[in-house]
């Protein structure tokens, strides 16, 4: 579904990310791990076409991102950020906001919103204002707002880092189950190795602005590509 070749992303005059080669398969969840500042979020921004490469190419369905119409491409993806970024509206209105912007009619919006509110455990909160939600509830609204759009590619940047550990564990469990059933192509950024192992079909290790290794958690643990990967993956539960 996605191919990356000879990619170099610069932030100012700094080389922020180098990826020699990476293929992302349709329907898989790729967990991107690495220390803070390693370049993980830069990879997501490049996949969202919010940062343009200094060199190399990213293709989506065999077409370079540079050749895609920006509006058409962004309607095929959804981005879930670390903070929910909800509007001062009801849960119902927040989930359906993107559908409204896309010109869908009221009944179709209602049907889709109700479906994903139920899926994300929000059916009883549809009339509640965003400011009255807990952190976990707000992030569930953010996830429902992304899934309701039916994206081909879901990008998530450490979406559970701001919630308490019990809420985080439940969200991870629910989202893992949903993605395994939904087969939505997902790139999930985290610095938490346990999350990566739980969520990812494969793990991509980014250290020092470079993609070091890609494989299943077990493969990477048993055959780390170099000393930096070996040191970072000591916590991986495999």
């Amino acid at each position: 579904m996605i191919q990356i070749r000879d990619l170099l992303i610069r932030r100012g005059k700094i080389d922020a990310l180098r990826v020699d080669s990476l293929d992302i398969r349709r329907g898989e969840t790729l967990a991107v791990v690495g220390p803070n500042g390693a370049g993980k979020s830069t990879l997501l921004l490049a996949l969202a076409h919010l940062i343009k490469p200094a060199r190399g190419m990213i293709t989506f369905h065999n077409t370079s991102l540079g050749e895609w119409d920006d509006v058409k491409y962004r309607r095929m993806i959804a981005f879930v950020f670390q903070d929910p970024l909800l509007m001062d509206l009801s849960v119902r209105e927040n989930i359906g906001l993107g559908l409204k912007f896309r010109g869908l009619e009221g009944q179709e919006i209602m049907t889709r919103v109700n479906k994903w509110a139920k899926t994300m455990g929000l059916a009883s909160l549809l009339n509640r204002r965003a400011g009255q939600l807990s952190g976990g509830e707000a992030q569930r609204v953010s996830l429902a707002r992304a899934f309701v759009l039916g994206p081909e590619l879901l990008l998530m940047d450490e979406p559970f880092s701001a919630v308490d550990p019990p809420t985080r564990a439940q969200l991870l469990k629910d989202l893992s189950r949903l993605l395994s059933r939904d087969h939505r192509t997902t790139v999930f950024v985290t610095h938490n190795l346990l999350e990566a192992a739980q969520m990812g079909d494969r793990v991509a290790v980014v250290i020092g602005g470079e993609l070091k290794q890609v494989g299943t958690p077990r493969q990477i643990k048993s055959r780390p590509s170099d000393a930096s990967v070996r040191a970072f993956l000591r916590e991986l539960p495999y």
Side-chain angles (χ1 to χ4, degrees):
M1 185 174 183
I2 296 168
Q3 291 183 319
I4 301 177
R5 298 291 183 270
D6 190 30
L7 184 71
L8 173 63
I9 302 291
R10 288 197 174 104
R11 309 289 291 267
K13 296 182 179 180
I14 298 173
D15 290 356
L17 179 67
R18 297 180 301 279
V19 179
D20 290 336
S21 179
L22 174 63
D23 294 337
I24 301 173
R25 305 161 186 160
R26 183 190 301 274
E28 81 166 324
T29 297
L30 178 69
V32 183
V33 300
N36 290 334
K40 306 183 301 295
S41 296
T42 298
L43 176 59
L44 284 194
L45 293 172
L47 288 170
H49 207 216
L50 296 173
I51 296 180
K52 308 301 188 293
R55 185 185 70 224
M57 182 177 292
I58 302 175
T59 63
F60 181 76
H61 291 315
N62 298 314
T63 300
S64 167
L65 292 193
E67 298 176 30
W68 276 92
D69 174 79
D70 280 349
V71 172
K72 184 176 181 180
Y73 177 68
R74 288 188 180 126
R75 286 190 172 189
M76 301 175 77
I77 70 174
F79 210 127
V80 178
F81 295 93
Q82 195 172 63
D83 297 314
L85 303 176
L86 301 182
M87 302 291 288
D88 184 23
L89 302 167
S90 69
V91 168
R92 176 183 288 104
E93 290 167 318
N94 268 288
I95 296 174
L97 197 58
L99 299 175
K100 185 176 180 181
F101 287 154
R102 294 183 182 187
L104 273 68
E105 298 298 326
Q107 185 57 51
E108 185 172 0
I109 292 176
M110 186 180 301
T111 299
R112 291 200 195 185
V113 166
N114 288 342
K115 172 191 172 182
W116 283 104
K118 182 178 180 181
T119 299
M120 296 306 302
L122 297 165
S124 64
L125 303 177
L126 282 170
N127 293 321
R128 188 171 296 181
R129 304 289 291 189
Q132 299 173 314
L133 301 174
S134 68
E137 290 166 346
Q139 198 57 278
R140 286 181 182 274
V141 174
S142 182
L143 289 164
R145 183 176 59 187
F147 276 101
V148 79
L149 298 174
E152 290 195 39
L153 174 63
L154 179 62
L155 305 173
M156 298 194 293
D157 192 3
E158 302 205 48
F160 310 130
S161 62
V163 298
D164 61 87
T167 301
R168 182 181 191 137
Q170 189 60 51
L171 280 168
L172 278 165
K173 181 179 178 181
D174 292 345
L175 187 58
S176 296
R177 186 186 302 117
L178 174 59
L179 290 174
S180 66
R181 185 181 74 234
D182 193 59
H183 301 295
R184 183 93 49 188
T185 308
T186 302
V187 182
F188 172 79
V189 160
T190 178
H191 65 273
N192 187 303
L193 301 176
L194 297 175
E195 286 184 6
Q198 181 178 342
M199 289 280 296
D201 299 308
R202 293 188 301 155
V203 174
V205 184
V206 178
I207 298 174
E210 182 177 356
L211 177 63
K212 294 282 189 174
Q213 189 171 1
V214 182
T216 66
R218 191 180 300 276
Q219 288 169 342
I220 292 174
K221 182 65 175 179
S222 62
R223 296 187 298 276
S225 62
D226 63 19
S228 67
V229 176
R230 186 177 300 110
F232 183 71
L233 295 181
R234 282 177 188 150
E235 300 173 41
L236 205 61
Y238 284 90

